[in-house]
Amino acid sequence: MFKDELEVLQSQGLYRVLRCLDGGQGPRIRIGGREVISLASNDYLGLASHPALKRAAIEATERYGTGSGASRLLSGSQPLHHALEDDLARFLGCEGALVFNSGHGANSGTLAALCGRGDLIISDALNHASIVDGCRLSKADKRVYKHCDMNELEDILKVSNKYRRRWIVTDGVFSMDGDVAPLPEIVGLAERYGAALYLDEAHATGVLGPQGRGSAAHFRLAERVTLRMGTLGKALGSFGAFVAGDREIIDVLINRARPFIYSTSLPPSVLAASRAAVALMHTAEGESLRKRLQGNVEILGARLNESGFYSGDGTTPILPVILGSVERTAAVAEALFEEGVFAPAIRPPTVPEGSARIRLSVMATHSEADLSRVNRLLDTLLPSIEGAV
Ligand SMILES: *Cc1c(COP(=O)(O)O)cnc(C)c1O
């Protein structure tokens, strides 16, 4: 039935296939019978295999079982749901937090629940797909501003004061570019024009700011952001997501966010692992993991900067090597894999047309030797590429 459509994708080099690992995720993975260096995971601190998280998950399973049984509004919350939400609200300095089953559900559900007819969503062009989906589900009007273009954002704000509410929506750290949103400017504009601000901290949670409290905390602007969303499945090594802000907004979400209302809630193991991860953020070990991550980012980022293929400032663990064409990107990813490095080729529609890239994501648990090896490989592979963006 879909044969022709799949063939079109194949002919464009955009056909995706799943690769199966021979074991778990980590700085090195086994795939196709070989061990390779992985630069493909958002488990930035290596917490997905941390003993404290594993122990918490096992103990919670022993105590509460494997499944939560139903949506929380139907079957009631587990004590762990409330405990995790209290932990998160304290961690982020908010009145309340609500746990969602995924970041995708948190973004799509929250934007659809909070922004309705008579409202305007003003969204960065490179926001995550789940924000785009939230915009599509919402009955609000939408405007998109060029990536981090503060002039365009202000122009939109200037002419949109007829709306009931205006929400500026932005990633804190952009997932495919690794750059950090200019939050001081965005917060300034939001306040000047009376707009609310929704911040996606998926890649900033656990990574940026004191104790890994995210990009808003990094800029000391946490209390001036209306609502923050973050994920538990990336640097926090578990699964799921949260939205944190004023109690009133959390109560609206409990009553209106469809992915929260109509989906079986997260199981005890996941909730307990997330609590262990948040607890770890406050410890010396958490601090030293973030330091190691930053050190590793510098090892790879410095070399990439010299190569001219990366224009970031090396503050986040997402290092894109933008190569432009789908073919060239696929060829480099393949060559890296041949040499024992797994780094994904990111193609449209995940990134804009003509900006296909290798996305390197660094972990605290990568060894210096492995990163040096990646640097040497990139040194030999990248100069042979002409006309990269
Ligand atoms: C990964 C990601 C999400 C979705 O989170 P999941 O928990 O993986 O569904 C949302 N926003 C951004 C910016 C992301 O990178």
Side-chain angles (χ1 to χ4, degrees), residues 170-209:
T170 184
D171 286 4
V173 172
F174 288 86
S175 55
M176 294 298 140
D177 291 74
D179 54 339
V180 180
L183 282 182
E185 287 81 0
I186 295 175
V187 166
L189 286 172
E191 290 175 349
R192 186 158 341 130
Y193 290 93
L197 177 56
Y198 180 87
L199 178 64
D200 178 335
E201 298 271 39
H203 293 279
T205 304
V207 173
L208 290 187

Side-chain angles (χ1 to χ4, degrees), residues 102-105 107 128 130 171 173 175 200 202-203 229 231 234 240-241:
S102 72
H104 192 285
N107 277 339
H128 190 259
S130 53
D171 286 4
V173 172
S175 55
D200 178 335
H203 293 279
M229 168 275 182
T231 53
K234 289 173 178 164

Side-chain angles (χ1 to χ4, degrees), residues 48-368:
S49 50
H50 192 283
L53 273 73
K54 290 199 244 183
R55 205 179 325 111
I58 291 164
E59 281 172 8
T61 303
E62 296 284 1
R63 183 151 178 217
Y64 297 106
T66 50
S68 69
S71 156
R72 289 166 66 183
L73 287 171
L74 206 65
S75 69
S77 301
Q78 307 264 334
L80 285 169
H81 285 114
H82 290 279
L84 175 58
E85 286 166 351
D86 290 347
D87 291 350
L88 288 166
R90 255 197 311 279
F91 180 53
L92 297 167
C94 295
E95 282 177 15
L98 188 68
V99 169
F100 281 78
N101 292 359
S102 72
H104 192 285
N107 277 339
S108 58
T110 300
L111 292 172
L114 296 184
C115 315
R117 255 184 256 288
D119 297 336
L120 177 68
I121 301 175
I122 312 173
S123 178
D124 187 289
L126 293 188
N127 277 342
H128 190 259
S130 53
I131 291 178
V132 175
D133 290 353
C135 290
R136 288 178 182 157
L137 287 168
S138 161
K139 296 200 169 64
D141 287 345
K142 298 106 195 177
R143 293 286 305 270
V144 174
Y145 59 94
K146 280 193 286 301
H147 181 49
C148 293
D149 185 332
M150 294 299 102
N151 292 327
E152 192 177 0
L153 173 58
E154 180 158 20
D155 287 345
I156 295 170
L157 286 164
K158 271 184 190 154
V159 299
S160 59
N161 53 14
K162 69 173 191 314
Y163 285 96
R164 177 180 65 165
R165 288 189 205 101
R166 292 177 291 175
W167 283 88
I168 302 170
V169 181
T170 184
D171 286 4
V173 172
F174 288 86
S175 55
M176 294 298 140
D177 291 74
D179 54 339
V180 180
L183 282 182
E185 287 81 0
I186 295 175
V187 166
L189 286 172
E191 290 175 349
R192 186 158 341 130
Y193 290 93
L197 177 56
Y198 180 87
L199 178 64
D200 178 335
E201 298 271 39
H203 293 279
T205 304
V207 173
L208 290 187
Q211 286 90 45
R213 292 171 209 263
S215 62
H218 166 77
F219 287 111
R220 299 175 191 279
L221 291 169
E223 67 286 351
R224 292 162 68 186
V225 175
T226 317
L227 202 59
R228 280 177 282 167
M229 168 275 182
T231 53
L232 300 163
K234 289 173 178 164
L236 295 186
S238 176
F239 184 64
F242 60 85
V243 172
D246 287 352
R247 191 67 236 169
E248 188 182 82
I249 297 183
I250 301 302
D251 289 339
V252 173
L253 295 178
I254 292 171
N255 284 277
R256 281 208 211 139
R258 295 167 66 89
F260 174 80
I261 299 172
Y262 296 109
S263 195
T264 302
S265 67
L266 291 177
S269 55
V270 167
L271 299 166
S274 299
R275 290 198 73 197
V278 174
L280 210 111
M281 292 300 106
H282 300 277
T283 64
E285 186 186 356
E287 185 68 34
S288 93
L289 282 171
R290 277 189 300 278
K291 279 224 177 73
R292 280 189 57 184
L293 176 61
Q294 191 53 41
N296 281 349
V297 169
E298 278 156 24
I299 293 176
L300 214 53
R303 189 64 206 90
L304 278 177
N305 256 325
E306 281 171 42
S307 75
F309 282 90
Y310 163 70
S311 53
D313 57 4
T315 49
T316 78
I318 302 167
L319 306 172
V321 183
I322 300 180
L323 297 168
S325 85
V326 166
E327 297 74 26
R328 189 190 285 143
T329 306
V332 173
E334 201 47 50
L336 282 169
F337 190 66
E338 286 296 307
E339 296 295 331
V341 175
F342 183 49
I346 311 284
R347 298 168 274 200
T350 307
V351 291
E353 211 60 55
S355 72
R357 66 197 63 186
I358 308 284
R359 177 183 184 274
L360 307 176
S361 60
V362 182
M363 298 173 67
T365 47
H366 279 124
S367 72
E368 213 174 313

